[in-house]
Amino acid sequence: MTEPLFDRLCLIGAGLIGGSIARRNREGHALAREVIVTANSQATRDRVRELGFADRVEDDIAAAVRDADCVILCVPVGVYAQVMAKIAPHLKPGAILTDVGSTKGSVIRDLTPLLPAGVHLVPAHPMAGTEYSGPDSGFPTLFEGRYVIVTPTEGTDPAAVEKVRELWRRCGSMIESMDPVTHDKVVAIVSHLPHLIAFTICGTADDLSEETRESVLKFAASGFRDFTRIAGSDVNMWRDVFLNNREAVLEMLARFTEDAQAFGRAIRWGEAGFIEDRIKRGRKIRHSLIERKQA
Ligand SMILES: NC(=O)C1=CN([C@@H]2O[C@H](COP(=O)(O)OP(=O)(O)OC[C@H]3O[C@@H](n4cnc5c(N)ncnc54)[C@H](O)[C@@H]3O)[C@@H](O)[C@H]2O)C=CC1
Ligand SMILES: O=C(O)C(=O)Cc1ccc(O)cc1
C-alpha cells in the first residue's frame, strides 16, 4: 500500500475543486492520512458532513489549519487575503501552503506578505473543472489526464514543490512549471477570455427582442448551446477571476476585439479568402487538439 503523502491535509473551501481532492483521497489515492475540511458557510459544512468525503469538518478555520502538514486554499481568489489573515498565525512551521486558484499573480500578491517564516508557499492551478460548483459537484476523477500548472517563486523549497507535484500526480494529473506572469497570460486566452465571450454572448442574446430571444432558446442546439454551458459557471468565482487577472484579460480582449473587427470587415466587403483563412486556422487548432487527445 502506498504511504500517504501527508499526515494531515487541510482543505479550505469544499466546492467543486476542494470536494474533488477530498474524494480522490477517499478513493484510496493516498493523499493524506486525514483530510480536514472547512468552509465559511454553515450550509456547506453541514452538507460536507452529510456527504462524508472528509475525515473531519471544522467550523473554526484556525482549528482546521493547526497541525496540518499541507493546507490547500480552494476558495475564490478574491477572498485569499482575508483567508490568509485568519490562518497565517496558526500555520504549522514547515507546513506547505498551496492553492488551486485560476489566477497566480494575484495569489502570490495576496499570500506572500503574511506568509510566516518556515511555511512553504507553492501556488498551483489545476486546468480542470466544470460549470458546476458547491460540495455536491466534485468527483474523484476530475483531474485525471489534465494539466496542473505550478508557479513556485524563486527560493521556494524544492522538497515542498516536489510534494505538491506528487499530490497532483496522485490525482492523475500531468504537472508543468511556469512563472506566474506567463501563467496569467496563458489562462487569459485559453480560459478567461472564452468565459468572458460566453457570458457576453448570452447577454447579447438575452437583449434581443422577445420574439427573437424565444427562437434563440428554441434552436439553441447549435454553437450557442456550447456557450451556455460555460456561461452557467459560478458568479463569485468568475467575478474574482476577472478582477484578479485584469491586465492579461484586458490585453487578450483588446487583441480579440481587433481580430473580430477584422473578421466583420471581411464579411462586409465580401473578402472570401480572409474568411476562409480564419475558418481554416480554427479547424487546424481543433484538429491538433484531437491529435493530442485533448478535445
Ligand atoms: N470551477 C472550476 O472549474 C475551477 C476552479 N478553480 C479555482 O478553484 C477555486 C475554487 O473553485 P470551486 O471549487 O469551483 O468553487 P466552489 O464555489 O465550488 O467552492 C468554493 C468554496 O469556497 C468556500 N468559501 C468561499 N469564500 C470563503 C471564505 N471567505 N472562507 C472560507 N471558505 C470560503 C465556499 O463555501 C465553497 O465551499 C477558485 O479559486 C477557482 O478559481 C480552478 C480550476 C477550475
Ligand atoms: O468548464 C470549463 O470549460 C472550464 O474551463 C473549467 C475551468 C475553469 C477554470 C479554470 O481555472 C480551469 C478550468
Side-chain angles (χ1 to χ4, degrees), residues 13-17 39-40 44 74-76 82 100-102 126 128-130 133-134 237:
L16 174 72
I17 304 293
N40 63 341
T44 301
C74 305
V75 295
Q82 161 196 332
V100 296
S102 305
T130 71
S133 58
M237 174 193 152

Side-chain angles (χ1 to χ4, degrees), residues 32-274:
R33 192 181 57 75
E34 188 185 24
V35 170
I36 301 133
V37 163
T38 189
N40 63 341
S41 105
Q42 179 74 50
T44 301
R45 295 192 303 266
D46 289 346
R47 185 65 186 140
V48 175
R49 287 188 182 102
E50 273 169 28
L51 291 166
F53 58 67
D55 298 299
R56 179 147 62 89
V57 181
E58 275 288 351
D59 292 335
D60 176 25
I61 195 166
V65 301
R66 200 171 289 133
D67 301 325
D69 313 292
C70 181
V71 174
I72 312 183
L73 300 187
C74 305
V75 295
V77 291
V79 300
Y80 273 44
Q82 161 196 332
V83 168
M84 186 62 175
K86 287 185 189 158
I87 64 170
H90 310 286
L91 293 169
K92 185 168 101 167
I96 292 173
L97 176 64
T98 182
D99 81 306
V100 296
S102 305
T103 62
K104 291 276 76 76
S106 76
V107 162
I108 293 165
R109 176 199 69 203
D110 291 346
L111 297 183
T112 310
L114 287 179
L115 191 70
V119 173
H120 308 290
L121 175 63
V122 185
H125 178 199
M127 299 299 295
T130 71
E131 65 277 29
Y132 300 109
S133 58
D136 285 87
S137 61
F139 53 99
T141 53
L142 174 65
F143 311 110
E144 276 180 10
R146 309 301 296 266
Y147 282 104
V148 172
I149 302 174
V150 289
T151 62
T153 40
E154 242 174 76
T156 312
D157 176 21
V161 178
E162 181 44 36
K163 277 213 145 183
V164 170
R165 294 175 72 100
E166 179 59 19
L167 176 108
W168 288 110
R169 255 179 241 124
R170 292 184 189 198
C171 288
S173 305
M174 294 96 73
I175 299 97
E176 292 266 330
S177 274
M178 218 178 256
D179 71 86
V181 175
T182 309
H183 166 276
D184 285 357
K185 285 193 180 181
V186 170
V187 296
I189 187 70
V190 302
S191 180
H192 304 171
L193 187 63
H195 278 79
L196 184 155
I197 293 168
F199 294 129
T200 307
I201 200 171
C202 287
T204 307
D206 199 42
D207 284 343
L208 296 173
S209 70
E210 209 162 297
E211 194 189 335
T212 321
R213 195 185 317 136
E214 268 308 301
S215 300
V216 168
L217 294 177
K218 189 167 169 186
F219 301 114
S222 53
F224 186 72
R225 190 195 180 94
D226 294 341
F227 285 115
T228 66
R229 183 191 71 77
I230 298 181
S233 300
D234 186 67
V235 177
N236 293 339
M237 174 193 152
W238 281 99
R239 176 203 59 214
D240 285 2
V241 167
F242 293 128
L243 293 177
N244 285 280
N245 197 17
R246 195 168 169 268
E247 266 85 55
V249 171
L250 289 179
E251 184 190 327
M252 297 307 164
L253 178 61
R255 294 177 75 123
F256 173 81
T257 307
E258 229 179 75
D259 291 345
Q261 271 168 350
F263 204 142
R265 196 175 183 282
I267 295 172
R268 179 177 305 280
W269 297 104
E271 292 168 5
F274 181 100

